Amino acid sequence: PETLTFSPPAVAVSMWTSSIGSSSFSMTAYNASMSVVDSTSLTTGTSPSLASVSGAGIVTVVVSSSTSVWAFDDLCFTH
């Protein structure tokens, strides 16, 4: 997994993700108390897919994939 940290906290985070083959991708947002704010899961492949989470006080986002070969691009966040 990869961990992204935001200071000041974000209210929305999104990114495009893809992988060499079909895989499961997850993105979970946490607040300062490490409580889940929002999460999303999707199946990715060679065509990019948009993943996003939103909610007040996002300080950490953890992204992971079921494959070791994956990428994300165009990370966007709003404070």
Side-chain angles (χ1 to χ4, degrees), residues 2 5 13 17-18 20 24 26 32 40 52 56 60-61 65 69 71 75-76:
E2 297 294 328
T5 305
V13 180
T17 182
S18 62
I20 289 178
S24 298
S26 67
T40 188
S52 62
T60 303
V61 172
S65 177
V69 182
L75 171 66
C76 296

Side-chain angles (χ1 to χ4, degrees), residues 35-69:
S35 296
V36 174
V37 174
D38 192 18
S39 65
T40 188
S41 297
L42 51 112
T43 300
T44 61
T46 55
S47 297
S49 299
L50 182 63
S52 62
V53 289
S54 61
I58 298 171
V59 297
T60 303
V61 172
V62 177
V63 294
S64 62
S65 177
S66 62
T67 183
S68 61
V69 182

Side-chain angles (χ1 to χ4, degrees), residues 6 10 12-16 27 50-51 53 73-78:
F6 299 93
V13 180
S14 65
M15 66 181 68
W16 289 93
M27 183 174 178
L50 182 63
V53 289
D73 196 11
D74 298 332
L75 171 66
C76 296
F77 55 93
T78 305

